[in-house]
Amino acid sequence: MVTPASADGATADHDTSAPPPLIELRAIRKSYGGKTRGPDGKPLPTTEVLRGVNLAIRSGEFVAIVGASGSGKSTLMHILGCLDRPTSGEYRFAGQNIAALNADELAWLRRVAFGFVFQGYHLIATESARENVEVPAIYAGVPMAERAARATALLTRLGLGERLDHRPGQLSGGQQQRVSISRALMNGGHIVLADEPTGALDTHSGAEVMTLLDDLARAGHTVVLITHDRDVAAHAHRTIEIRDGEIVSDSQDSAGASHGHGARASFASPALLDARAFMAAMQDGVAHTASFLAETREALRAAWRVLWINRFRTLLTLLGIIIGVASVIVMMAVGAGTEKQVIEKMASFGTNRIYVIPGGDNPRGPGGTLSMADVDIVREVPNVGMAMPFLATYATARYGNVDAQAALWAVTEDAPTVLNWKTSRGTFFTADDERRLATVVLIGKRMREKLFGEADPVGRYVLVNNVPFQVIGELEEKGASSGDSDDDNVILMPWSTGARRIVGTTNLSWISVLIDRLDLADDTEKRITAALDAAHRVHDFQVYNRAASVKAQTETQSTLTLMLGLIAAISLVVGGIGVMNIMLMTVRERTREIGIRIATGARQRDILRQFLTEATLVSGVGGVLGVVCGLAIGAILIAVGAPAIFSVRAILGAFACALLTGLVFGFMPARQAARLDPVVALASE
């Protein structure tokens, strides 16, 4: 059996100055199976495709590898193009052992040294002719303008200048193969590997393609042609026949070989011929690719193209994210609105208040009293905004021949703020009324209904315990605060007037304290207790911290709001599962595209980034639409009177969760895509 190794090896032995072959295979074997087990648990038989192949190809040669279907020629091409690894044997490229190269280095080699021309064209269906040609340059980090100009020049040179923006489905078979050849030349195409390039073409188109390959060979490219057609193989200057995984013959045209080893040898880049230059160029090429921004921009462009082409399916996938984000925004807005409404309602009954009441905790201890001096002491405590004396009793009010029992509260002009109670009619009494012991009152809604019906009470006089008072205002309706008490059945008068002219004592019923910061309620309570203990020298009072209970209720409401948000976030998880499902389907549908990208020099992280970008883009678009829908629904709720308060934090959080959902649920499909075997991927339908 004649092998190239023997012929070329002899030449190399006599001429030590000759560079090593560009491609050299030594005892290459490739087998499949042996690891998979059958139903009986025993390993399935191993199928050996290549059996000790020895082959040397020098720069500038035009070689045809001929063999019947199943002879191993395509497997040989995959190994030559670094798409597959041999089971055993040694593959040297420019004197370097390929087995020592990692995945990124192999990707660089495919990107820079090889250009693939396949029988099935293997063009990316969603990209235009120019964009398909640009793919190898994208992974080489060539700037956008430069690669576009280079792709345009290559396609124009091959007669496709008017079809730059046509997609593969809009091109004939011959035109698609020209695009494939242009792609193979994009990064230089030092070695063109053509696998049955005319197999799917008619006679005329096949002849055109072979003419192009002849031109490339004459221009100095190393061309390796895989074919079963001997008429096609006749175009090569060297023909190698493979049968049952072994090379059975190697004949070459002497004149063609001489010409190939002469003029054409100068075409190959010095970095592909000299061992030191090759390693240096490879390390530099692996380390320096496109910038992160450029790679991300390209990934976004490709992702948007794919999603737009499949926009109906994309929209269905978006629905889960849209519903999830909108639900979180609306639920949090409604929760916040309800919380504010509850707090406001509670505020009408006193929220950030503390009450100091006479009488100690021990019923056998001193009874104790509170005076205006105690009010002054409490006012000096930090975080106390206001301290108001409060004198409460019951009185009989009379207007005309109508009598009504009511709660009588003697308070100061600070009452509107301390009690959070405003007037619906008239005005509140002033500090001057307080000093003058003015005989003026304000009445609650129920007291007004009892004495005056629906008439305006302002300016009229009533008798309070037989003392005439002028009604100067009506209080807003408050409703029942707790139990059977009714704050609307009340009469308010100046504290000095009530103490001296109605009740007859200056001892307070309690002190109402308004604090500034609700979160310091407990500390303020302790300070008030300490101050009064020091003044009284005995603990003859009690402090009720209503603010603390309100704080606890507020925290409970906030927890409920958070629970609403978490419940709504479940739909985001459902949407994320939808994203993962659609991405798994996308990987399955685009397996061949992944193989094409790997064959043109894409690294695993390029494929990972591409599919992660698509998943994140779906989630991002869904997040934006979800925010818009959530705001729209919230606006409708506000318009119909429902309590809703939008939170920028909730909106940003929902959007961020949508993006995170895309990353998390898109990672597994993206990793699956990145780990695909390029040979298996290219062979998929």
Side-chain angles (χ1 to χ4, degrees):
M1 176 173 61
V2 180
T3 65
S6 59
D8 291 339
T11 304
D13 290 341
H14 289 85
D15 184 6
T16 58
S17 64
L22 186 59
I23 292 174
E24 186 174 12
L25 304 183
R26 299 177 180 175
I28 292 295
R29 293 181 176 273
K30 181 65 179 178
S31 57
Y32 298 98
K35 297 181 179 179
T36 305
R37 296 182 178 274
D40 57 357
K42 296 181 179 179
L44 295 176
T46 300
T47 301
E48 194 169 32
V49 181
L50 297 179
R51 304 175 182 178
V53 172
N54 294 290
L55 177 63
I57 299 175
R58 295 189 178 276
S59 178
E61 285 195 275
F62 187 180
V63 179
I65 299 177
V66 184
S69 178
S71 59
K73 58 184 186 300
S74 292
T75 300
L76 180 59
M77 189 202 77
H78 292 150
I79 291 175
L80 290 174
C82 299
L83 293 174
D84 201 359
R85 290 181 181 268
T87 304
S88 64
E90 188 177 48
Y91 175 13
R92 288 187 170 271
F93 186 93
Q96 301 300 314
N97 189 354
I98 296 301
L101 304 184
N102 60 35
D104 283 355
E105 291 168 340
L106 290 175
W108 174 85
L109 191 58
R110 289 192 296 267
R111 187 164 60 241
V112 172
F114 296 103
F116 293 90
V117 180
F118 298 100
Q119 177 180 355
Y121 323 129
H122 286 357
L123 301 178
I124 300 174
T126 57
E127 306 283 343
S128 66
R130 183 180 62 247
E131 290 165 343
N132 267 283
V133 175
E134 289 181 23
V135 170
I138 290 174
Y139 298 124
V142 179
M144 183 185 301
E146 182 181 341
R147 68 172 182 261
R150 190 186 302 175
T152 300
L154 283 169
L155 289 169
T156 302
R157 172 184 165 191
L158 297 185
L160 295 175
E162 296 181 355
R163 296 185 174 272
L164 298 176
D165 297 321
H166 286 61
R167 290 190 184 146
Q170 299 170 307
L171 302 174
S172 67
Q175 291 170 335
Q176 290 186 61
Q177 197 62 289
R178 292 185 195 182
V179 174
S180 181
I181 293 173
S182 298
R183 182 180 62 194
L185 301 176
M186 185 62 185
N187 287 343
H190 303 294
I191 304 168
V192 178
L193 298 175
D195 186 10
E196 300 283 6
T198 63
L201 302 177
D202 57 49
T203 303
H204 176 71
S205 298
E208 289 181 341
V209 168
M210 289 310 304
T211 300
L212 290 174
L213 292 177
D214 285 337
D215 292 341
L216 293 176
R218 282 193 293 272
H221 293 266
T222 302
V223 180
V224 179
L225 176 66
I226 307 295
T227 182
H228 68 279
D229 190 336
R230 292 189 177 276
D231 291 334
V232 172
H235 289 262
H237 304 121
R238 177 182 173 190
T239 303
I240 298 171
E241 184 176 359
I242 186 171
R243 184 186 303 159
D244 296 331
E246 296 179 324
I247 292 179
V248 295
S249 66
D250 182 356
S251 61
Q252 56 186 358
D253 186 324
S254 300
S258 175
H259 178 64
H261 290 182
R264 289 194 296 274
S266 63
F267 175 83
S269 167
L272 298 179
L273 297 177
D274 180 76
R276 292 181 181 178
F278 170 75
M279 293 301 294
M282 180 175 64
Q283 295 303 323
D284 183 66
V286 170
H288 299 90
T289 55
S291 67
F292 175 79
L293 287 178
E295 290 180 339
T296 301
R297 183 176 62 247
E298 288 302 324
L300 282 171
R301 183 199 63 79
W304 179 258
R305 175 73 59 80
V306 171
L307 297 178
W308 179 252
I309 290 175
N310 301 296
R311 47 189 174 273
F312 182 73
R313 185 174 69 184
T314 301
L315 178 61
L316 293 178
T317 306
L318 288 176
L319 282 177
I321 302 296
I322 294 172
I323 293 172
V325 172
S327 298
V328 170
I329 292 173
V330 172
M331 288 291 191
M332 295 297 286
V334 170
T338 304
E339 179 180 345
K340 182 174 183 294
Q341 191 178 62
V342 170
I343 291 174
E344 287 178 348
K345 189 66 175 177
M346 291 168 59
S348 66
F349 306 130
T351 52
N352 52 337
R353 281 187 243 164
I354 292 176
Y355 298 97
V356 182
I357 299 175
D361 296 330
N362 186 353
R364 296 182 180 180
T369 59
L370 295 173
S371 65
M372 282 299 296
D374 295 319
V375 176
D376 295 334
I377 292 173
V378 172
R379 282 178 181 152
E380 298 302 318
V381 173
N383 195 44
V384 171
M386 290 182 178
M388 184 182 73
F390 206 107
L391 186 57
T393 186
Y394 286 94
T396 301
R398 174 181 294 175
Y399 178 74
N401 61 352
V402 179
D403 290 346
Q405 286 290 116
L408 174 64
W409 295 352
V411 293
T412 67
E413 71 277 4
D414 293 330
T417 302
V418 175
L419 301 179
N420 191 28
W421 208 352
K422 299 176 182 178
T423 58
S424 60
R425 294 174 181 171
T427 60
F428 216 88
F429 49 79
T430 64
D432 185 59
D433 294 329
E434 180 74 32
R435 285 192 299 272
R436 292 188 300 107
L437 278 69
T439 54
V440 294
V441 294
L442 291 94
I443 60 176
K445 179 183 176 183
R446 285 193 60 191
M447 179 55 57
R448 185 262 300 165
E449 291 174 345
K450 290 178 180 179
L451 296 178
F452 302 99
E454 296 301 323
D456 185 353
V458 177
R460 301 175 187 250
Y461 284 84
V462 297
L463 295 176
V464 179
N465 287 357
N466 295 319
V467 178
F469 282 81
Q470 183 182 20
V471 179
I472 63 172
E474 179 183 342
L475 298 166
E476 288 181 344
E477 182 178 9
K478 206 164 192 180
S481 60
S482 63
D484 298 326
S485 65
D486 188 351
D487 289 344
D488 291 322
N489 188 40
V490 69
I491 299 172
L492 264 63
M493 65 178 56
W495 181 84
S496 58
T497 305
R500 290 177 172 84
R501 304 191 64 171
I502 301 297
V503 183
T505 179
T506 58
N507 291 334
L508 306 180
S509 298
W510 64 79
I511 302 173
S512 287
V513 182
L514 186 70
I515 64 175
D516 293 327
R517 291 180 56 182
L518 194 62
D519 57 323
L520 297 178
D522 292 338
D523 180 67
T524 306
E525 176 190 350
K526 294 176 182 177
R527 289 175 180 267
I528 290 173
T529 301
L532 292 178
D533 279 340
H536 289 202
R537 299 183 183 277
V538 62
H539 192 78
D540 58 350
F541 61 89
Q542 298 181 50
V543 179
Y544 287 99
N545 190 349
R546 183 170 177 81
S549 64
V550 171
K551 179 183 176 184
Q553 291 173 336
T554 303
E555 291 175 348
T556 301
Q557 186 64 35
S558 299
T559 302
L560 292 175
T561 301
L562 180 60
M563 286 182 61
L564 286 175
L566 292 175
I567 292 171
I570 293 175
S571 56
L572 262 179
V573 176
V574 175
I577 294 173
V579 170
M580 182 170 63
N581 181 54
I582 202 68
M583 292 307 300
L584 286 171
M585 185 182 300
T586 298
V587 170
R588 190 178 300 113
E589 290 177 349
R590 295 166 58 195
T591 299
R592 178 176 290 184
E593 176 190 331
I594 295 168
I596 295 168
R597 291 184 181 276
I598 294 174
T600 52
R603 299 158 296 182
Q604 284 191 350
R605 63 175 176 268
D606 294 321
I607 303 299
L608 183 68
R609 181 188 298 109
Q610 177 66 50
F611 284 89
L612 267 183
T613 301
E614 290 184 20
T616 307
L617 185 60
V618 169
S619 299
V621 172
V624 171
L625 294 177
V627 169
V628 172
C629 290
L631 293 176
I633 294 171
I636 293 172
L637 291 175
I638 293 173
V640 300
I645 298 176
F646 291 114
S647 165
V648 175
R649 182 181 298 178
I651 293 172
L652 295 178
F655 181 75
C657 285
L659 288 181
L660 184 63
T661 297
L663 282 172
V664 171
F665 286 94
F667 180 76
M668 189 181 76
R671 186 178 64 173
Q672 178 180 322
R675 293 183 174 182
L676 281 176
D677 185 316
V679 175
V680 176
L682 286 169
S684 69
E685 294 298 330

